[in-house]
Amino acid sequence: MLITSTRTCDISQAYGLIVGCAILWAGGCASDTQSGVKYEHQNGWQWQGIVGRQLHTEHYSLHTTLSDQGVVDRLAQVMEAAYRQYVRLVPGIHRSPRKLPLFVFQTYDQWVEYTQATTGKDSSAYLSVLNGGYTIGDRFVCWVSNEHDVRTTAAHEGWHQFVSVHFKMRLPPTIEEGLACTFENVLVRPEGVFFD
């Protein structure tokens, strides 16, 4: 889901994106052989009575109520691998030093409560996404219906986050959405993360 921005794109970003698309198209399946994930630190997180954890990786700040640490670890691994793929797609982009926020809820009810409170009158549009999640500005928000779908959605929505933070303006919707879809087929194996 796209939320527009008032930023303006410069020619070097457009050129970089074209080069990146060519690399992605010519390269086919991409892999990221860095397995595992390193957390810079972890602490408790609470939002309006919902209690969870906040974990910081190199590029993300993950707020979650998930109880299964294995699911959290694999999701963090996918997001860091996807981030490296986004950077490959846009060579030379100036990256923001701030971490991108992820909000991953254990239950649908927690996701609904958070969405209604943070999106206000627009919440019905976001709640129409029954499985998966959405990106609003630089925040990715989802709930875990099943692990595979969340990894797929996260890698897709992570591209929207990346564009929101690192580009001066949003891409035309068909291009941004099309590129986001290229990250959906993600596999996590012991030897690393693979995008097909």
Side-chain angles (χ1 to χ4, degrees):
M1 188 170 287
L2 300 175
I3 301 299
T4 59
S5 172
T6 59
R7 299 175 182 170
T8 57
C9 186
D10 64 28
I11 193 70
S12 65
Q13 283 184 325
Y15 175 74
L17 186 60
I18 291 167
V19 170
C21 288
I23 291 168
L24 186 65
W25 178 76
C29 182
S31 68
D32 189 305
T33 56
Q34 295 182 22
S35 59
V37 66
K38 295 176 185 152
Y39 297 109
E40 294 176 356
H41 65 277
Q42 302 183 38
N43 51 312
W45 169 68
Q46 186 168 328
W47 181 83
Q48 295 188 355
I50 296 173
V51 177
R53 297 175 291 153
Q54 183 178 17
L55 303 95
H56 298 273
T57 65
E58 183 178 357
H59 299 103
Y60 293 93
S61 177
L62 172 60
H63 305 77
T64 186
T65 61
L66 293 175
S67 57
D68 187 328
Q69 187 62 43
V71 174
V72 172
D73 291 346
R74 287 185 294 274
L75 179 60
Q77 180 184 2
V78 165
M79 293 310 295
E80 285 296 332
Y83 190 93
R84 289 186 288 273
Q85 295 300 316
Y86 308 150
V87 170
R88 269 186 66 206
L89 184 61
V90 190
I93 192 165
H94 175 71
R95 290 182 271 168
S96 169
R98 70 184 176 86
K99 297 182 185 306
L100 301 176
L102 307 174
F103 293 84
V104 183
F105 294 98
Q106 177 81 40
T107 69
Y108 178 76
D109 291 340
Q110 292 171 344
W111 178 75
V112 167
E113 185 178 337
Y114 181 84
T115 299
Q116 287 174 334
T118 59
T119 62
K121 62 181 176 48
D122 296 327
S123 65
S124 61
Y126 294 101
L127 293 174
S128 69
V129 179
L130 297 179
N131 289 312
Y134 58 85
T135 296
I136 183 167
D138 69 346
R139 277 181 297 141
F140 167 59
V141 183
C142 74
W143 70 284
V144 177
S145 56
N146 70 68
E147 185 177 353
H148 176 268
D149 288 351
V150 167
R151 288 194 309 243
T152 296
T153 301
H156 172 113
E157 294 296 330
W159 170 251
H160 296 308
Q161 264 188 314
F162 185 85
V163 169
S164 174
V165 170
H166 297 98
F167 285 45
K168 291 184 179 179
M169 67 179 272
R170 297 307 290 258
L171 298 170
T174 54
I175 293 173
E176 186 171 329
E177 193 62 28
L179 288 170
C181 290
T182 65
F183 299 104
E184 290 179 358
N185 195 8
V186 57
L187 301 169
V188 178
R189 296 186 179 142
E191 63 272 19
V193 176
F194 297 84
F195 297 90
D196 187 16

